[in-house]
Amino acid sequence: MNFKKVREIIKFDVQKSIQNKWFVILNVILFIIILFATNWSNISNYLKEHDVNFVNEEQITIQILDPENLIYDSFNEKYGESSNYKIEKVESNPYSKENIPDDNVILLEVKSNSEDIITAKLVSKEGIDNDIYDVIYDELTEARANLFAANHNISIDELNTLNEEVPVERELLGVDAENSDTKEVIKTISILVVYMVLIIILSRIANEIAQEKVSKSIEYVLTSVTAGEYLISKVLSVTIATLIQVLYTFVYYIIGNCINSLFVMQTTGASFGSSIVNIDTSIVSYVLVMAAYLIFTVFITALIQATLTSKTTSVAEAGNTTMILLLLVVILYLVSLSAISPYITVTPFMYIISCLPIVSTFFVPAMMIIRTSNNIANNNFICCFNCINSIYL
Amino acid sequence: MLDLKNVTKEFGENKAIDNISFKVKDGKIFGLIGRNGAGKSTTFRVILQIIEQTKGEVLYNNQKITQDTLNYFGYLPEEGSLIPSYTVLELCEYYGTLKLMETQEIREKLIYWLEKFNILEYLNKKVKDLSKGNRQKIQFIVSNLHEPDFLILDEPFSGLDPISVEELKKCILELKDQGKTIIFSSHRMDHVEELCDEIAILEKGKIIEKGSLKDIKKKYNNETLNQIFISVVGEKEKSLQS
């Protein structure tokens, strides 16, 4: 293999991917979005403090048809004085297909019932805003609880205690079980990152190779490099370009968090260092292994994509191969999410499939949570070494 | 010198080229002529090792052609081999990089050739925005950018207007004067007659006539190459039918 040529092609391709206006535009937009996302609580607090409201708050008339007076009094007491709501008591429901209520009118009909305790009916012209629905629903729930407590001669506090979830504390005593919740979150996010990165990389590889193949420029290319050198160069250049983008995104995230920490420091008086992150070494090693597996998976999957694309004759066909690979990745993503958890015992079947390349990315880091992955990790690194070795040969 | 010895290329049961042999001497222009589907492009692909021959040998200076030897070759493929979404500069930088040229060197040579063809204004234009003729000129430039010793031109005059044809002919003759070896295919016999020292006529994958242009013309009573081609291919067809 002519490494000089491979290196030159990678250099050219990566430069072309990064040094263009679309890459710059994408990154400016991404930076702004991440900055907003990481500082959203500060922004929203600022807007609240300065009375900035984006919602058009038109007064809503709630007409209550409640012959048994199950909720009217309580509703009127809470919201009767509110500028957002106008509460009216009505004796009948005048609305039908022929007589549709106005935009800002809702009719709430409430009845008691031996089975469900309380039933309600909402009549409006269009769908009801979620905030208003929540207000009505909370009132109905409270009224039902009161009615139930009265009927069964128990207090509301007793009823609330009965409705609460049973508190179960999970205590994991193993060394690797520390911060298991954080690791679980990292697992979920990182698998999602793998998936997103794969979508970008596979479609880019398929598109680039198919375009060169369809335009016959591959013929010119193949007078300079071998087919193997060409595929490896394409895979590596697209992988590197995507990983650079991932790195940039990570840097934007750090910047956003630092800015957020500065705000927190100003408002709470906490020190900058402690407010950024309290690093746990086991999480750092976990993230590093995850990153290694990400690169490994991306490389192997990209290589499969490149090989499949080289067998196709059109961009559309190349797109189909991408879809098949992505479908495989989605299945692995879903299976790994549901199969691996600190609270589920690892079966021999999971061990076997975890030793396969690609699959391992989804399983091994997650299995690290439950300290069962050392042998699998070793197997995969040997497998990775063998793959690279066979490509070289 | 390029030497093809008993080369055959089969695609399944179909023989695209069948036991062909010819030599292209250094500093000469060799014309490979034949009808559509005769096997001209396949021959070029085999020479350049884009596809491997089923039988036979392809030697350059008495050695098998390797990836390193291919650096001495320039290739102008028949169909548009340019990536449409690239600009002319990007494209030449990409192809030049594949031949291990420095960026500065690529730019200098590209500007030289664009000026030669009076199309310098297309330097930063996308390939997809160029006319067919201008794309053909860019293909020719790409094949020459790394100053190869051996040029393979598959239908180089295709899509060119008469003025551009003359410009390209002039360029080819200049390259010959510089000692380059050129092999090209064409349907235009007048171009072949004007430029070539030696020719081979391919029909259904087989060479049915080859030799120096002078000798072949002498053999056929100084008829035009067009008449010779029609009579040779016609005779072959008749013999196959009978």
Side-chain angles (χ1 to χ4, degrees), chain A residues 86-374:
Chain A
K86 186 181 168 193
I87 314 296
E88 287 176 359
K89 190 165 189 177
V90 291
E91 300 301 323
S92 63
N93 175 3
Y95 303 117
S96 63
K97 291 264 183 199
E98 286 74 36
N99 181 23
I100 295 169
D102 291 341
D103 284 337
N104 56 350
V105 173
I106 297 167
L107 182 123
L108 167 64
E109 191 178 341
V110 190
K111 284 177 194 164
S112 66
N113 174 305
S114 59
E115 265 178 42
D116 302 311
I117 308 164
I118 275 183
T119 59
K121 183 181 174 186
L122 278 169
V123 181
S124 60
K125 186 180 175 185
E126 304 290 345
I128 299 168
D129 184 273
N130 273 349
D131 288 343
I132 300 166
Y133 181 81
D134 287 346
V135 164
I136 294 171
Y137 185 79
D138 288 347
E139 277 308 307
L140 287 168
T141 312
E142 196 183 319
R144 188 175 69 161
N146 286 335
L147 194 60
F148 183 85
N151 289 348
H152 292 80
N153 208 16
I154 55 170
S155 72
I156 285 289
D157 288 342
E158 284 170 327
L159 188 66
N160 287 343
T161 310
L162 201 64
N163 282 336
E164 275 174 12
E165 284 181 11
V166 179
V168 178
E169 191 184 338
R170 291 185 177 202
E171 190 179 9
L172 306 171
L173 297 174
V175 178
D176 282 2
E178 283 173 19
N179 290 316
S180 61
D181 288 342
T182 312
K183 287 173 182 173
E184 186 77 15
V185 171
I186 293 172
K187 182 196 86 176
T188 312
I189 293 172
S190 53
I191 289 171
L192 198 65
V193 169
V194 172
Y195 181 60
M196 297 306 291
V197 168
L198 280 176
I199 290 178
I200 300 167
I201 288 188
L202 297 186
S203 48
R204 277 186 63 178
I205 286 179
N207 190 45
E208 287 204 9
I209 295 179
Q211 203 186 35
E212 289 192 15
K213 210 176 168 206
V214 171
S215 71
K216 301 267 180 187
S217 63
I218 195 100
E219 291 209 350
Y220 187 87
V221 175
L222 290 178
T223 62
S224 307
V225 292
T226 63
E229 286 167 352
Y230 171 73
L231 287 184
I232 289 284
S233 311
K234 278 287 160 201
V235 167
L236 285 176
S237 57
V238 174
T239 308
I240 290 169
T242 310
L243 291 179
I244 288 171
Q245 180 62 72
V246 171
L247 189 73
Y248 276 18
T249 311
F250 186 66
V251 170
Y252 302 154
Y253 177 74
I254 300 265
I255 293 171
N257 264 325
C258 285
I259 293 171
N260 185 36
S261 299
L262 285 171
F263 274 115
V264 172
M265 200 174 74
Q266 260 189 346
T267 50
T268 63
S271 74
F272 184 69
S274 67
S275 60
I276 290 178
V277 69
N278 188 10
I279 296 174
D280 175 348
T281 49
S282 70
I283 291 183
V284 172
S285 66
Y286 181 76
V287 170
L288 287 177
V289 171
M290 190 68 224
Y293 270 92
L294 167 68
I295 294 166
F296 175 45
T297 306
V298 164
F299 181 74
I300 297 285
T301 324
L303 207 59
I304 296 170
Q305 176 67 74
T307 314
L308 287 176
T309 311
S310 67
K311 311 275 179 210
T312 60
T313 51
S314 69
V315 178
E317 248 184 71
N320 288 342
T321 61
T322 309
M323 291 309 294
I324 294 167
L325 267 181
L326 286 178
L327 186 68
L328 178 76
V329 171
V330 171
I331 292 168
L332 291 173
Y333 168 63
L334 293 174
V335 170
S336 71
L337 273 186
S338 59
I340 307 288
S341 149
Y343 313 113
I344 297 174
T345 311
V346 181
T347 62
F349 174 69
M350 274 192 234
Y351 270 118
I352 294 164
I353 57 170
S354 301
C355 289
L356 302 171
I358 302 175
V359 183
S360 60
T361 304
F362 297 93
F363 280 70
V364 173
M367 286 169 90
M368 284 180 70
I369 297 170
I370 42 181
R371 213 181 183 184
T372 51
S373 65
N374 287 350

Side-chain angles (χ1 to χ4, degrees), chain A residues 2 4-5 8-9 12-13 16 211-212 215-217 219-226 229-230 234, chain B residues 45 48 50 67 70-71 75 77 79-83 85-86 90 93-95 97-100 142:
Chain A
N2 189 331
K4 200 175 174 192
K5 280 188 180 178
E8 286 302 319
I9 297 172
F12 179 85
D13 274 355
K16 194 173 182 293
Q211 203 186 35
E212 289 192 15
S215 71
K216 301 267 180 187
S217 63
E219 291 209 350
Y220 187 87
V221 175
L222 290 178
T223 62
S224 307
V225 292
T226 63
E229 286 167 352
Y230 171 73
K234 278 287 160 201
Chain B
R45 286 184 190 126
L48 292 161
I50 295 169
Q67 208 62 43
L70 284 175
N71 282 334
Y75 177 43
E79 291 168 71
S81 65
L82 309 175
I83 306 168
S85 56
Y86 280 33
E90 284 170 346
E93 280 182 347
Y94 179 49
Y95 288 156
T97 306
L98 293 175
K99 298 287 182 192
L100 297 178
V142 165

Side-chain angles (χ1 to χ4, degrees), chain B residues 128-139:
Chain B
K128 64 182 174 193
D129 297 330
L130 300 181
S131 68
K132 197 183 170 193
N134 283 326
R135 262 185 257 166
Q136 190 69 352
K137 287 178 189 171
I138 299 299
Q139 285 210 114

